[in-house]
Each structure stands twice: as structure tokens, then as C-alpha cells.
Amino acid sequence: MDYGMLNLASIVLGLIGWAVPVFQLGRMVKSGTGTGRYGHILSMGACALAIWCQIRYNEYLIDIEDWGAIVDTIDAVRKVALFLLVTTLVVNLVTAHMENALDKEET
């Protein structure tokens, strides 16, 4: 397995985690309807998988005993993972709030 691909997968999954709620917000503004509740699950799932890819990559670095790479990158990985998790959560909460407001207007 090419473990370097885990970093690429982490970036792509993180972007998907952000893109899904942004797409939902755009659709709500444009057509007045959301994409349903599964978008939040997809978004948070992509975020979780992105963080898992980083954990798995760090496990690989431990397996090959590349201690220098771990020491050099662990602080940045920790900060980026926290940023990804918090921003994905906030964007999903905003989207959920707007969907609830839209649902109340329809009834």
C-alpha cells in the first residue's frame, strides 16, 4: 500500500466534509429546499475518515520507526485535525439551523 496516498485521501475527505454542507446551503438559498438530513452524516463521516487517514499514516510512521517525521509533523496534524473537526461541526450546525428555519416557514 502506498501510505502517502493516505495524506491525499485525508485532504480530499476533509474538503468533502466542508463541501457537502456548503452545497446544502447553496441549494437552500437557490431553491428553498435542502438535501435532507443525510448530508450532515456524509459530511461528518468524511471528516471522521479524514482524521482516521492521518491516524493511520502516523501508525505507519511508527511501524517504520520514522521518529523524526512524527516529531516534525504531529503538532501540525493535531492542529489541522482540530480545525477540520471544529469547522465541519460549525458548518453543519449552521446548515441544520437553516434547514430547521426553512422547515418552520413551510408549516
Side-chain angles (χ1 to χ4, degrees):
M1 175 181 200
D2 183 15
Y3 288 94
M5 293 300 289
L6 287 170
N7 289 319
L8 179 62
S10 180
I11 292 169
V12 169
L13 288 165
L15 291 173
I16 289 170
W18 287 339
V20 169
V22 169
F23 172 75
Q24 285 181 294
L25 286 170
R27 187 168 177 185
M28 280 189 288
V29 168
K30 186 176 179 182
S31 66
T33 62
T35 57
R37 305 293 183 215
Y38 294 111
H40 304 295
I41 295 169
L42 176 64
S43 174
M44 293 306 293
C47 176
L49 285 173
I51 294 171
W52 178 85
C53 286
Q54 285 304 308
I55 292 170
R56 181 63 185 101
Y57 185 70
N58 282 337
E59 181 183 22
Y60 164 71
L61 292 177
I62 291 168
D63 289 345
I64 65 169
E65 298 181 3
D66 191 352
W67 308 118
I70 294 169
V71 170
D72 291 344
T73 61
I74 196 68
D75 191 49
V77 168
R78 180 181 50 84
K79 289 176 183 175
V80 170
L82 178 62
F83 177 76
L84 174 66
L85 184 61
V86 169
T87 55
T88 303
L89 183 62
V90 167
V91 172
N92 276 290
L93 287 172
V94 168
T95 305
H97 176 72
M98 290 187 67
E99 280 184 338
N100 284 338
L102 183 65
D103 289 344
K104 287 180 183 177
E105 286 178 10
E106 290 177 355
T107 58

